[in-house]
Short mmCIF file of all heavy atoms in Angstrom, two decimals:
data_model
loop_
_atom_site.label_atom_id
_atom_site.label_comp_id
_atom_site.label_asym_id
_atom_site.label_seq_id
_atom_site.Cartn_x
_atom_site.Cartn_y
_atom_site.Cartn_z
N ILE R 43 72.11 -145.25 -104.80
CA ILE R 43 73.15 -144.72 -103.89
C ILE R 43 74.28 -145.75 -103.85
O ILE R 43 74.29 -146.64 -102.99
CB ILE R 43 72.58 -144.48 -102.47
CG1 ILE R 43 71.31 -143.61 -102.53
CG2 ILE R 43 73.63 -143.82 -101.56
CD1 ILE R 43 70.57 -143.50 -101.21
N PRO R 44 75.22 -145.67 -104.78
CA PRO R 44 76.25 -146.71 -104.89
C PRO R 44 77.21 -146.78 -103.69
O PRO R 44 77.74 -147.84 -103.40
CB PRO R 44 77.02 -146.34 -106.16
CG PRO R 44 76.17 -145.34 -106.89
CD PRO R 44 75.36 -144.64 -105.84
N ASP R 45 77.41 -145.67 -102.99
CA ASP R 45 78.36 -145.64 -101.87
C ASP R 45 77.79 -146.42 -100.68
O ASP R 45 76.85 -145.98 -100.01
CB ASP R 45 78.62 -144.17 -101.50
CG ASP R 45 79.60 -144.00 -100.35
OD1 ASP R 45 79.83 -144.98 -99.60
OD2 ASP R 45 80.14 -142.90 -100.20
N ALA R 46 78.40 -147.60 -100.41
CA ALA R 46 77.88 -148.48 -99.35
C ALA R 46 77.96 -147.83 -97.97
O ALA R 46 77.05 -147.98 -97.16
CB ALA R 46 78.64 -149.80 -99.35
N GLY R 47 79.03 -147.09 -97.72
CA GLY R 47 79.21 -146.42 -96.43
C GLY R 47 78.12 -145.40 -96.20
O GLY R 47 77.54 -145.29 -95.11
N LEU R 48 77.82 -144.66 -97.24
CA LEU R 48 76.79 -143.62 -97.17
C LEU R 48 75.43 -144.27 -96.91
O LEU R 48 74.66 -143.82 -96.05
CB LEU R 48 76.77 -142.83 -98.49
CG LEU R 48 75.79 -141.66 -98.59
CD1 LEU R 48 76.10 -140.61 -97.54
CD2 LEU R 48 75.85 -141.04 -99.98
N ARG R 49 75.16 -145.36 -97.62
CA ARG R 49 73.89 -146.07 -97.42
C ARG R 49 73.74 -146.55 -95.99
O ARG R 49 72.69 -146.45 -95.39
CB ARG R 49 73.81 -147.31 -98.34
CG ARG R 49 73.39 -147.05 -99.74
CD ARG R 49 72.84 -148.33 -100.38
NE ARG R 49 73.70 -149.50 -100.22
CZ ARG R 49 74.71 -149.82 -101.02
NH1 ARG R 49 75.00 -149.06 -102.06
NH2 ARG R 49 75.42 -150.91 -100.80
N ARG R 50 74.85 -147.04 -95.43
CA ARG R 50 74.83 -147.57 -94.08
C ARG R 50 74.56 -146.47 -93.05
O ARG R 50 73.83 -146.66 -92.10
CB ARG R 50 76.17 -148.26 -93.78
CG ARG R 50 76.11 -149.26 -92.64
CD ARG R 50 77.39 -150.07 -92.54
NE ARG R 50 78.58 -149.23 -92.61
CZ ARG R 50 79.49 -149.26 -93.58
NH1 ARG R 50 79.34 -150.09 -94.60
NH2 ARG R 50 80.54 -148.47 -93.56
N ARG R 51 75.17 -145.31 -93.29
CA ARG R 51 74.99 -144.20 -92.33
C ARG R 51 73.59 -143.60 -92.38
O ARG R 51 73.08 -143.10 -91.39
CB ARG R 51 76.02 -143.09 -92.61
CG ARG R 51 77.43 -143.41 -92.17
CD ARG R 51 78.29 -142.17 -92.18
NE ARG R 51 78.39 -141.52 -93.49
CZ ARG R 51 79.23 -141.88 -94.45
NH1 ARG R 51 80.05 -142.89 -94.27
NH2 ARG R 51 79.26 -141.24 -95.61
N MET R 52 72.98 -143.62 -93.56
CA MET R 52 71.68 -142.96 -93.73
C MET R 52 70.60 -143.62 -92.89
O MET R 52 70.48 -144.84 -92.89
CB MET R 52 71.25 -143.02 -95.20
CG MET R 52 71.95 -142.03 -96.09
SD MET R 52 71.35 -142.24 -97.78
CE MET R 52 72.03 -140.77 -98.55
N SER R 53 69.78 -142.81 -92.23
CA SER R 53 68.65 -143.35 -91.49
C SER R 53 67.55 -143.69 -92.48
O SER R 53 67.64 -143.38 -93.68
CB SER R 53 68.15 -142.32 -90.49
OG SER R 53 67.60 -141.23 -91.19
N ARG R 54 66.50 -144.31 -91.98
CA ARG R 54 65.41 -144.78 -92.85
C ARG R 54 64.79 -143.65 -93.66
O ARG R 54 64.60 -143.76 -94.87
CB ARG R 54 64.35 -145.44 -91.96
CG ARG R 54 63.49 -146.47 -92.64
CD ARG R 54 62.77 -147.30 -91.58
NE ARG R 54 62.02 -146.45 -90.67
CZ ARG R 54 60.76 -146.05 -90.89
NH1 ARG R 54 60.13 -146.42 -91.97
NH2 ARG R 54 60.15 -145.29 -90.01
N VAL R 55 64.50 -142.52 -93.01
CA VAL R 55 63.82 -141.44 -93.74
C VAL R 55 64.75 -140.81 -94.77
O VAL R 55 64.31 -140.43 -95.87
CB VAL R 55 63.25 -140.37 -92.78
CG1 VAL R 55 64.33 -139.53 -92.13
CG2 VAL R 55 62.26 -139.45 -93.50
N ILE R 56 66.02 -140.72 -94.46
CA ILE R 56 66.95 -140.12 -95.42
C ILE R 56 67.08 -141.03 -96.64
O ILE R 56 67.02 -140.58 -97.78
CB ILE R 56 68.33 -139.85 -94.77
CG1 ILE R 56 68.17 -138.86 -93.60
CG2 ILE R 56 69.32 -139.31 -95.79
CD1 ILE R 56 69.42 -138.67 -92.77
#
Side-chain angles (χ1 to χ4, degrees):
Chain R
I43 308 171
D45 181 341
L48 183 61
R49 278 202 311 274
R50 201 171 48 245
R51 285 193 301 277
M52 283 179 168
S53 67
R54 205 164 55 87
V55 71
I56 299 172

